[in-house]
């Protein structure tokens, strides 16, 4: 198993670090355009092996795609992150060019790779990568819902003063402050609906906090977050590499599922060695369906800004 992470910034490096600690691959390549950064970070990470006890050695590469040859899974995190006050959507201009170029280079050396897109605006970048590459839709997956769901579970756990491990919940729809849909109706604490523990007002606050979860952190830190994004990306990579068949909300190309066509958006999918293997069809309420429709409109209008 060989995994490449493109972009050795905050999210890319954290993702690679998580992957090597779990020994998910024999080879992990970290690639960045910035001279020396991926090599330096890889060596720094490898120096934790003697302390933490793992055997996978990460290899850095300054824009040399030859080193990524034969990768089974590739994670794309290259691109600008948002600054305080920015929306993910404002990143489209610069990141579209980066994601397009990276996807081309990756497929030249790893034509069979499963590609996970993290760069924002993620739903549109996933759509772009799919349209430009023409690869099988099952091999292109956008990471967003896994992170948003982790934030949702965390806010629920904080509101209930319980462990996030006992909370189940999902966020679907677009990966944007106004487009994501925390499914409060379906969230549970050890199988019991969270509405038994929290008032409608408390649930509304949890949903609202979840939706601006990324922006809250960007305001506090001064740039976009990386620990939870890196862990959420690991969830996707691990389920694929170990063929775990976890159900994870991911941005995938819809062709009629959830009433949408020709768009990449967050829906629950089964992740295994084939990439996203199938969409899980939740029976949404009318209000949830309407929210999904509205979210799709916003994602579609963002896709309209692409020159394909
Ligand atoms: P960062 O600025 O720390 O790292 C980005 C890295 O990409 C830099 O090291 C840069 O040199 C590299 N890069 C730029 N152009 C490149 C190219 N053509 N080839 C190779 N490397 C290139 O940014 P950070 O915080 O790691 O975020 C990365 C992206 O992920 C951003 O677009 C951010 O908005 C997005 N993001 C998405 C999340 C999601 O849930 N989908 C969560 C968090 C961040």
């Amino acid at each position: 198993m060989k995994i490449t992470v493109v972009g050795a910034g905050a999210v890319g490096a954290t993702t690679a670090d998580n992957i090597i600690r779990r020994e998910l691959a024999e080879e992990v390549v970290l690639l960045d355009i910035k001279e020396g950064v991926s090599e330096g970070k890889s060596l720094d990470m490898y120096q934790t092996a003697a302390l933490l006890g793992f055997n996978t050695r990460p290899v850095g590469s300054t824009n040399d795609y030859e080193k990524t040859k034969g990768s089974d899974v590739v994670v794309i995190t290259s691109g600008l992150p948002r600054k305080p006050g920015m929306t993910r959507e404002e990143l489209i201009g610069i990141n579209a060019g980066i994601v397009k170029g990276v996807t081309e280079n990756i497929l030249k050396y790893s034509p069979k790779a499963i590609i996970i897109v993290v760069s924002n605006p993620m739903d549109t970048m996933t759509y772009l990568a799919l349209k430009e590459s023409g690869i099988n839709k099952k091999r292109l997956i956008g990471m967003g819902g896994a992170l948003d769901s982790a934030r949702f579970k965390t806010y629920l756990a904080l509101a209930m003063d319980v462990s996030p491990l006992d909370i189940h919940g999902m966020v679907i729809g677009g990966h944007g402050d106004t487009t994501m849909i925390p499914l409060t109706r379906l969230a549970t604490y050890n199988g019991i609906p969270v509405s038994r523990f929290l008032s409608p007002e408390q649930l509304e606050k949890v949903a609202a906090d979840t939706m601006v979860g990324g922006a809250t952190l960007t305001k506090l830190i001064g740039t976009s977050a990386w620990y939870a994004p890196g862990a959420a990306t690991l969830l996707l990579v691990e389920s694929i590499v170990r063929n775990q068949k976890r159900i994870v909300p991911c941005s995938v190309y819809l062709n009629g599922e959830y009433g949408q066509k020709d768009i990449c958006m967050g829906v629950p999918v089964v992740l295994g060695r084939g990439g996203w293997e199938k969409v899980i069809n939740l029976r949404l309420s009318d209000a949830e369906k309407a929210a999904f429709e509205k979210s799709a409109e916003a994602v579609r209008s963002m896709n309209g800004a692409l020159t394909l």
Side-chain angles (χ1 to χ4, degrees), residues 6-12 31-34 63 65 77-82 91 95 98 102 117-120 122 143-144 147 175 223-225 229:
V6 181
V11 177
L31 182 145
D32 201 286
I33 38 164
K34 274 191 217 146
N63 229 21
Y65 280 86
T77 74
S78 45
L80 289 190
R82 57 181 171 158
L91 301 167
N95 285 357
I98 294 175
V102 167
V117 177
V118 178
S119 313
N120 273 317
M122 181 278 293
M143 193 292 289
L147 171 64
H175 176 60
T223 186
S224 129

Side-chain angles (χ1 to χ4, degrees), residues 1-7 15 19 65 68 70-78 98-119 122-144 232-238 240-241 249-253 264 269-277:
M1 183 62 58
K2 179 168 176 175
I3 302 174
T4 288
V5 179
V6 181
T15 301
I19 291 170
Y65 280 86
T68 69
S71 294
D72 300 285
V73 178
V74 176
V75 179
I76 301 180
T77 74
S78 45
I98 294 175
V99 169
K100 188 170 170 235
V102 167
T103 309
E104 273 168 23
N105 281 321
I106 282 298
L107 288 169
K108 218 181 281 169
Y109 291 96
S110 305
K112 294 186 179 151
I114 291 172
I115 298 179
I116 298 173
V117 177
V118 178
S119 313
M122 181 278 293
D123 299 292
T124 298
M125 293 303 106
T126 306
Y127 182 78
L128 169 73
L130 183 70
K131 288 284 164 178
E132 290 290 343
S133 66
I135 67 169
N136 185 314
K137 63 180 180 183
K138 304 255 172 176
R139 286 170 42 209
L140 248 171
I141 305 162
M143 193 292 289
T233 309
L234 174 75
L235 171 67
L236 272 63
V237 172
E238 184 163 31
I240 293 166
V241 166
C250 294
S251 188
V252 300
Y253 187 78
C264 290
V269 293
V270 176
L271 294 179
R273 284 302 284 275
W276 65 269
E277 298 182 348

Side-chain angles (χ1 to χ4, degrees), residues 94 133 144 216 218 224 243 261 273 286:
I94 182 117
S133 66
T216 301
T218 304
S224 129
N243 201 24
K261 273 195 170 171
R273 284 302 284 275
D286 287 348

